[in-house]
Amino acid sequence: MARHTGPSNGAELRHPPGTFDVMPAESGAWQHVLATFARVVSGAGYGLILTPTFEDIGVFQRIGASTDVVRKEMYDFVDKGQRHVALRPEQTASVVRAFIQHRPTTPWKAWYAGSQFRFERQQAGRYREFHQVGVEAFGSADPDLDVEVMALAWEFYRALGITRMDLLVNSLGDSRCRPAYRRLLVEYLLAHQGDLCDEHRDRIEDNPLRILDCKRPGCRSVAEGAPRQVDHLCDECAAHFGRVVEGLAALSIPFTLQPTLVRGLDYYTRTTFEYAGTGLESAQNALGGGGRYDGLVAAMGGPDTPAVGFALGMERILLALDAEQVALAGGARLDAFVVDFAGGTVARDLTARLRVAGFRVDRSFDGRSPKAQFKAADRSGARLALVVGPDEAAAGTVGIKDLQAAAEQVTVGMEEIVPELSRRLG
RNA sequence: GUGGCCGUAGCUCAGUUGGUUAGAGCGCCAGGUUGUGGCCCUGGAGGUCGGGGGUUCAAGUCCCCUCGGUCACCCCA
């Protein structure tokens, strides 16, 4: 039986736990970030893809049964048609599903932006509904594509003004060399079992790579002496990784080799990377991450297709911008604000006419006092006030007052307004 | 799922060992200026003190429950 059926007694309506509203006063920053991302990735041949916000739960279960995302964070339910669906916890699986369903010719490069859902308790930089932008590139195993993807994220952060971050890079090997490494690692961990933290002591076989990422002191000291995947790559993976590292250096993108970087999703092969914000005070400091997933398309029933991509968290990006005190371009300003205290007819007609002509114009309603209307004009940030009192209305003229300069108010005929505005705002 | 902290006006907060009609700043509205914003002055509107129950002559204040927020663990964006 549903435990939560509505607002509790006397409670006001509010957004669900773990979600938030972005009000117009703050949405300018979101628009700026999204526009910047679209510019960077579309300029590299990536096309926008939109997929459903929810999918059959099977789509996401392919992410990996041992991941927390699937085990305990899925926001799923049975719908009225008895379908078991889930709000997407990430978008890579959805894009892969779309790739398999539509079979575009490769190489195929797509970018996305939108909401993700994971059912967890909220904290700084982490929400139940959160937002990501990302890219996915299918059909090439070329390490230079890994470098392209990492460079795009780098360029995007740089374009926004984020400087305090580390690019962490690792290689997880592939289906040939990872099993051997995994056996080596399990062997090592079993030998040091007593030093591991309580949670991981009995789960070595379960997900040994995860232990490398554990933050507890016991696991960490064991991890430091553990065999490293990068030292046990097969020839092909080693060559691939070598080319990736070489490419990053060639493009002057600073990075840190982090052999313990595992990441939360099981499908990664070879290259994995994460952009860690170093200016953030909150515990959640991953600005974004990604990697190569050469086996996922086939695992989901598609043709054997290598792929690489990343996802970047909007909320984390905004936190980083805030931490670095990056001033974002404010919201769009108005060109003019019509102040009409002669009945409102001129305001009605002139505002509409100017908007059709392409100007950004607003006005007051309810026949407020001149003082109140000028106050509203001032607050709107409009460059000019277009003043219509009884005198102007009778004469068929309009007063033009510059709200941001100490210039005299001038009067022009109604028909000269458009050219006059063009001249002043040009 | 577990734990810490916090819920008083639109926002940020004050409110004494429980004690009269619950306050401030900012914001909003109006007036000062019978047609002119920003600065200033005056006034006004706006509160089930998160909700429910209890103790008490008396509860914003104490107790219990509950809802919500926030941060952290886990994990990640």
Side-chain angles (χ1 to χ4, degrees):
Chain A
M1 204 56 230
R3 285 189 299 137
H4 305 286
T5 53
S8 53
N9 205 8
E12 54 188 299
L13 261 26
R14 47 175 301 121
H15 61 246
T19 66
F20 54 87
D21 302 309
V22 181
M23 299 298 280
E26 334 151 62
S27 61
W30 285 71
Q31 288 183 298
H32 175 69
V33 171
L34 290 170
T36 302
F37 187 74
R39 175 170 57 74
V40 169
V41 298
S42 64
Y46 291 73
L48 174 64
I49 180 171
L50 279 60
T51 63
T53 304
F54 61 91
E55 301 261 5
D56 187 284
I57 193 167
V59 170
F60 304 119
Q61 283 168 336
R62 311 296 179 88
I63 293 170
S66 71
T67 64
D68 282 357
V69 171
V70 171
R71 276 172 46 215
K72 56 181 194 184
E73 296 169 3
M74 205 78 94
Y75 208 129
D76 66 314
F77 55 95
V78 176
D79 71 11
K80 288 187 168 77
Q82 302 309 305
R83 297 181 191 86
H84 191 180
V85 300
L87 302 180
R88 61 185 178 207
E90 56 130 40
Q91 293 203 46
T92 300
S94 293
V95 175
V96 169
R97 194 228 78 227
F99 173 81
I100 293 169
Q101 183 175 336
H102 300 280
R103 297 290 183 94
T105 55
T106 56
W108 185 68
K109 306 202 290 189
W111 70 273
Y112 60 79
S115 287
Q116 259 76 235
F117 305 83
R118 293 182 196 171
F119 201 88
E120 3 173 48
R121 288 273 293 268
Q122 138 177 18
Q123 67 188 69
R126 194 184 77 184
Y127 299 89
R128 275 189 186 173
E129 178 176 11
F130 61 104
H131 301 77
Q132 289 182 334
V133 294
V135 303
E136 313 289 353
F138 295 79
S140 170
D142 192 330
D144 287 358
L145 182 56
D146 305 34
V147 174
E148 168 176 300
V149 159
M150 282 184 264
L152 284 174
W154 176 261
E155 173 55 24
F156 165 62
Y157 289 131
R158 220 184 49 77
L160 286 175
I162 295 174
T163 58
R164 294 159 71 183
M165 60 177 170
D166 277 340
L167 169 56
L168 309 174
V169 182
N170 191 22
S171 176
L172 297 178
D174 64 8
S175 58
R176 276 165 300 185
C177 52
R178 193 169 355 177
Y181 166 71
R182 189 189 149 107
R183 277 195 300 278
L184 201 63
L185 180 61
V186 167
E187 204 170 293
Y188 168 84
L189 291 173
L190 286 172
H192 296 79
Q193 193 163 13
D195 299 328
L196 297 176
C197 74
D198 296 345
E199 187 164 337
H200 286 124
R201 192 166 301 134
D202 304 318
R203 294 185 49 199
I204 293 176
E205 303 277 359
D206 216 30
N207 193 346
L209 297 182
R210 178 91 269 142
I211 298 174
L212 297 179
D213 224 12
C214 181
K215 291 170 191 159
R216 295 199 178 82
C219 283
R220 195 179 289 181
S221 61
V222 171
E224 274 169 24
R228 316 188 316 170
Q229 174 74 69
V230 285
D231 297 328
H232 299 274
L233 296 174
C234 61
D235 291 347
E236 289 81 358
C237 285
H240 184 99
F241 193 53
R243 178 75 182 177
V244 167
V245 167
E246 177 193 324
L248 291 173
L251 299 186
S252 302
I253 297 174
F255 65 95
T256 305
L257 177 62
Q258 181 147 90
T260 58
L261 180 69
V262 171
R263 312 218 18 91
L265 304 166
D266 283 356
Y267 51 64
Y268 287 121
T269 56
R270 292 189 169 171
T271 313
T272 58
F273 59 93
E274 178 171 313
Y275 284 90
T278 53
L280 297 181
E281 293 192 2
S282 58
Q284 312 302 328
N285 71 340
L287 298 180
R292 183 163 274 288
Y293 48 97
D294 291 342
L296 184 60
V297 177
M300 287 181 68
D304 197 2
T305 308
V308 59
F310 65 64
L312 316 179
M314 281 291 293
E315 291 79 7
R316 305 279 169 86
I317 290 167
L318 265 0
L319 279 177
L321 289 172
D322 197 47
E324 302 208 28
Q325 302 193 311
V326 174
L328 296 177
R333 289 277 175 239
L334 293 174
D335 295 322
F337 195 100
V338 178
V339 173
D340 177 343
F341 43 94
T345 302
V346 174
R348 182 191 66 196
D349 300 344
L350 180 60
T351 301
R353 187 156 68 86
L354 291 176
R355 286 173 181 166
V356 169
F359 294 104
R360 312 166 57 85
V361 184
D362 199 6
R363 53 163 296 196
S364 284
F365 292 94
D366 301 312
R368 305 179 71 201
S369 71
K371 176 173 176 167
Q373 292 195 49
F374 271 96
K375 204 167 179 176
D378 184 50
R379 266 199 299 264
S380 77
R383 170 90 179 280
L384 303 170
L386 304 182
V387 188
V388 182
D391 296 348
E392 288 86 350
T397 60
V398 175
I400 299 182
K401 176 172 182 173
D402 193 319
L403 292 170
Q404 281 154 36
E408 286 285 304
Q409 179 171 322
V410 301
T411 302
V412 302
M414 190 66 85
E415 296 315 311
E416 300 158 48
I417 292 179
V418 168
E420 177 67 12
L421 289 188
S422 300
R423 192 180 64 75
R424 286 175 178 253
L425 301 165

